[in-house]
Amino acid sequence: MRERLRLNGVHHSARSTWKLRETVEFYRDILGLPLVHCVSARGWGASNHPDFLHFFFDSGSGGTIAFFYYLGDDQPEHLVHRPEYDSDANHTAWKVDDRETLLAWRERLESRGVPILYQIEHEVIESIYFRDPNGYYLEITRSLRPFTEIDALDARLSLEAAIAEEERCGGKFKDVETIWRKKGELVRKSRENEA
């Protein structure tokens, strides 16, 4: 039997930046992430693709966070950061081992002029949130408990319910209660099948 394929952590997350100095100083000097690699290249792909720098910071445990800096190119309107949730859903979260380390990071960031947007415990993690010079959302988090089989079952049922509702109404449902009701139906049917 073949061994199951498994991903082994995140190699890198990548974003665009039009603030080269500020981005380097933030990640290297404020967060203390070593700058480990930079690709300097002529445009790739389409003939109008600008030349660029693609640079990487070591973000711990073998992973990196990377940026593209496009030379001589203006930031497209659709990539200008806006505070709505759609921009904030795309973020990087680093993990720390304990609350003391999380609080030490908060103190370090605040002492260097980085505002903490909020600190919150949500379900299985406690996190602090802040922004980089580009407006990207960043998070430092600690686990409150490990994921369990119940978490996996709840995730599966929640997503099955959401997918079913999305298909039923063409993706236009707008409230989480709809998913909860559908998930309740799935739980009831599952229990009936077990009986």
Side-chain angles (χ1 to χ4, degrees):
M1 183 151 105
R2 288 178 56 180
E3 188 175 325
R4 191 175 122 197
L5 283 177
R6 184 174 174 91
L7 296 174
N8 190 22
V10 174
H11 180 274
H12 71 275
S13 62
R15 296 179 173 86
S16 303
T17 182
W18 279 264
K19 297 181 177 182
L20 182 60
R21 175 187 297 276
E22 295 94 327
T23 299
V24 170
E25 290 175 351
F26 182 85
Y27 286 89
R28 182 192 62 204
D29 303 338
I30 293 177
L31 291 183
L33 303 182
L35 180 63
V36 294
H37 187 65
C38 181
V39 175
S40 53
R42 296 201 184 283
W44 292 352
S47 61
N48 63 346
H49 193 290
D51 293 352
F52 62 91
L53 301 175
H54 185 28
F55 52 100
F56 296 75
F57 299 93
D58 181 338
S59 61
S61 298
T64 58
I65 184 166
F67 290 87
F68 285 92
Y69 178 69
Y70 297 104
L71 305 173
D73 195 38
D74 293 326
Q75 184 172 11
E77 181 62 26
H78 72 279
L79 291 180
V80 173
H81 176 76
R82 290 176 177 78
E84 294 87 13
Y85 65 90
D86 58 326
S87 295
D88 293 343
N90 299 315
H91 68 278
T92 298
W94 283 279
K95 67 179 173 180
V96 295
D97 291 332
D98 51 48
R99 190 158 207 271
E100 293 74 29
T101 306
L102 182 69
L103 295 176
W105 270 105
R106 180 178 183 140
E107 183 180 325
R108 174 183 175 146
L109 291 166
E110 288 177 329
S111 73
R112 296 181 181 208
V114 178
I116 300 300
L117 301 172
Y118 51 92
Q119 180 172 342
I120 187 169
E121 286 188 16
H122 39 114
E123 295 194 10
V124 297
I125 57 175
E126 179 182 17
S127 304
I128 58 173
Y129 294 88
F130 52 100
R131 295 194 189 281
D132 82 351
N134 304 287
Y136 294 128
Y137 221 37
L138 297 173
E139 174 182 357
I140 298 176
T141 190
R142 72 176 182 103
S143 293
L144 298 174
R145 65 171 178 81
F147 293 127
T148 66
E149 288 182 32
I150 294 294
D151 293 310
L153 174 62
D154 181 67
R156 181 177 60 79
L157 292 172
S158 294
L159 293 177
E160 282 180 19
I163 290 167
E165 188 60 23
E166 183 180 61
E167 290 172 353
R168 186 190 71 73
C169 67
K172 299 296 181 195
F173 69 97
K174 294 185 186 273
D175 62 89
V176 74
E177 287 86 1
T178 303
I179 296 170
W180 293 341
R181 282 192 297 276
K182 182 66 176 174
K183 185 168 70 170
E185 291 173 22
L186 293 173
V187 169
R188 183 181 48 77
K189 286 179 185 176
S190 173
R191 286 184 177 162
E192 288 172 359
N193 291 339
E194 290 175 1

